[in-house]
């Protein structure tokens, strides 16, 4: 009977959003778009959508209740319906926060694993961690909705691995390919579903789109990783990426047909 009540308002899925993260040396001048994807999904309306999210922080913000000395953000939960299927999603983002005094990643207590290993964690624990809302929230948490991560822990059901198809100064395709491939391999080992979400298709460059396609075609992935082409800024294919992953988790026979970017933009 316990199962039944869990399904009220749709099945509950916990989704972890991952992809190239770190200092400017790793990711270039800009992040790949993980935070914007989460923001657009959980707080869709234009008023709640921010393009600038936290990455370089002070020590006090790192140890505040939102970041809570971790390298992941709890984005909260949202209930959505698509094609008559209803799901509830808990959303987390795995990133790497950088200290604004020395520009090195913060050292999380007792955790020394590299990002590619750490980001595929399926048991996330962080007592009293607060939902992240926006950059301005840090330090004045009481002025924003204060929602806690459920029971201080989450169990991840599937992954959205983000791949930026725009040209970013200071980042090479080789670097993004190497890190993304390593993350995907680690997820496949866990036998958890994963979707490769290409980000920033509103500014895509041809090579980026090709690199992403070539990446999932590698033999080691056995054609098991679908690509969804998104733009968080233009709100294209964002819900579709989460729903496709939810159906993979659910082992549902019905799979939504996700249009490519050009088509999705046209029918939006
Ligand atoms: P870190 O967590 O710091 O590693 O970065 P991230 O992967 O969370 O990236 P974030 O979402 O913070 O976005 C980084 C930059 O890319 C910001 O300047 C965003 O405005 C920009 N960006 C994100 N999504 C899009 C998009 O859909 N289109 C365009 N053109 N830019 C985007
Ligand atoms: Mg981020």
């Amino acid at each position: 009977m316990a199962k039944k009540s869990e399904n009220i308002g749709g099945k509950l899925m916990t989704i972890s959003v991952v992809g190239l993260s770190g200092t400017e040396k790793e990711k270039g001048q800009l992040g790949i778009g993980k935070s914007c994807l989460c923001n657009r999904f959980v707080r869709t309306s234009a008023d709640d959508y921010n393009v600038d999210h936290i990455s370089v922080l002070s020590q006090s913000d790192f140890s505040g209740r939102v970041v809570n000395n971790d390298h992941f953000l709890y984005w909260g939960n949202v209930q959505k319906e698509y094609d008559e299927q209803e799901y509830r999603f808990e959303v987390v983002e795995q990133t790497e926060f950088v200290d604004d005094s020395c520009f090195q990643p913060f050292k999380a207590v007792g955790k020394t694993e590299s990002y590619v290993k750490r980001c595929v964690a399926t048991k996330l624990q962080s007592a009293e961690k607060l939902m992240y809302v926006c950059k301005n929230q840090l330090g004045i948490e009481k002025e924003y909705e204060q929602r806690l991560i459920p029971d201080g822990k989450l169990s991840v059901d599937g992954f959205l691995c983000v791949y930026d198809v725009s040209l970013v100064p200071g980042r090479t395709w080789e670097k993004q390919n190497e890190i993304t491939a390593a993350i995907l391999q680690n997820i496949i080992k866990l036998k958890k579903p994963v979707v490769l979400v290409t980000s920033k298709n509103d500014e895509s460059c041809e090579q980026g789109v090709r690199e992403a396609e070539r990446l999932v075609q590698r033999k080691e992935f056995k054609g098991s990783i679908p690509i969804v082409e998104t733009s968080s800024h233009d709100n294209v294919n964002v819900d579709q990426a989460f729903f496709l992953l939810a159906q993979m988790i659910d082992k549902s026979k019905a799979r939504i047909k996700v249009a490519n970017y050009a088509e999705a933009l046209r029918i939006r």
Side-chain angles (χ1 to χ4, degrees):
M1 291 306 277
K3 268 265 176 297
K4 207 169 185 182
S5 63
E6 279 171 20
N7 291 340
I8 291 172
K11 276 197 182 163
L12 182 66
M13 308 264 160
T14 300
I15 311 294
S16 179
V17 175
V18 301
L20 178 65
S21 301
T23 61
E24 208 174 305
K25 188 167 148 268
E26 269 87 34
K27 69 184 180 196
Q29 278 177 19
L30 291 175
I32 59 169
K34 299 179 298 295
S35 296
C36 287
L37 184 82
C38 296
N39 188 166
R40 185 58 92 182
F41 183 66
V42 299
R43 288 181 277 285
T44 305
S45 75
D47 284 352
D48 298 328
Y49 181 69
N50 296 298
V51 297
D52 189 19
H53 291 286
I54 51 172
S55 56
V56 181
L57 303 173
S58 65
Q59 177 65 56
S60 66
D61 283 342
F62 183 70
S63 49
R65 295 263 316 275
V66 173
V67 180
N68 217 22
N69 291 303
D70 305 308
H71 284 288
F72 73 89
L73 288 176
Y74 172 54
W75 275 90
N77 61 58
V78 63
Q79 185 180 343
K80 295 213 186 196
E81 195 187 310
Y82 198 92
D83 258 2
E84 291 177 11
Q85 285 184 58
E86 204 165 58
Y87 291 110
R88 283 181 302 139
F89 294 92
E90 296 281 4
V91 180
V92 294
E93 172 190 352
Q94 286 282 4
T95 184
E96 187 139 272
F97 293 113
V98 173
D99 188 331
D100 68 0
S101 64
C102 62
F103 293 97
Q104 291 300 310
F106 284 103
K107 292 205 167 50
V109 185
K111 291 173 193 150
T112 52
E113 282 178 314
S114 65
Y115 179 82
V116 297
K117 277 196 182 152
R118 172 172 59 72
C119 76
V120 302
T122 54
K123 302 279 179 227
L124 298 174
Q125 209 156 3
S126 188
E128 310 271 294
K129 190 181 182 76
L130 280 180
M131 173 176 80
Y132 170 72
V133 179
C134 64
K135 200 170 177 167
N136 294 341
Q137 172 199 16
L138 301 194
I140 48 168
E141 287 80 359
K142 287 202 173 70
E143 292 179 28
Y144 290 81
E145 184 186 349
Q146 292 192 286
R147 211 187 290 175
L148 290 175
I149 185 171
D151 297 333
K153 59 184 173 200
L154 285 171
S155 177
V156 174
D157 299 300
F159 294 87
L160 292 179
C161 183
V162 177
Y163 188 94
D164 186 350
V165 292
S166 76
L167 202 59
V168 171
R171 183 198 305 152
T172 62
W173 297 112
E174 288 74 24
K175 182 77 191 176
Q176 192 177 197
N177 292 345
E178 178 200 326
I179 300 293
T180 311
I183 295 170
L184 292 173
Q185 281 158 1
N186 287 341
I187 297 171
I188 301 277
K189 271 187 223 150
L190 295 169
K191 300 198 164 41
K192 293 279 182 193
V194 55
V195 171
L196 189 74
V197 175
T198 62
S199 61
K200 312 189 196 177
N201 278 274
D202 55 288
E203 279 186 1
S204 70
C205 76
E206 253 178 63
Q207 187 176 358
V209 174
R210 237 182 305 128
E211 296 284 350
E213 282 164 0
R214 251 191 247 141
L215 193 58
V216 296
Q217 281 161 9
R218 290 189 190 183
K219 263 199 225 118
E220 64 216 73
F221 302 132
K222 301 184 189 118
S224 65
I225 306 173
I227 293 186
V228 178
E229 300 177 335
T230 70
S231 162
S232 304
H233 281 12
D234 291 349
N235 195 10
V236 174
N237 274 347
V238 173
D239 281 2
Q240 284 83 345
F242 282 83
F243 269 90
L244 178 62
L245 180 62
Q247 291 173 331
M248 290 164 72
I249 294 167
D250 215 7
K251 301 197 171 64
S252 152
K253 284 204 190 75
R255 290 276 169 92
I256 60 167
K257 287 209 172 50
V258 184
N260 68 24
Y261 184 72
E263 178 67 6
L265 189 65
R266 201 179 60 78
I267 59 180
R268 182 171 61 130

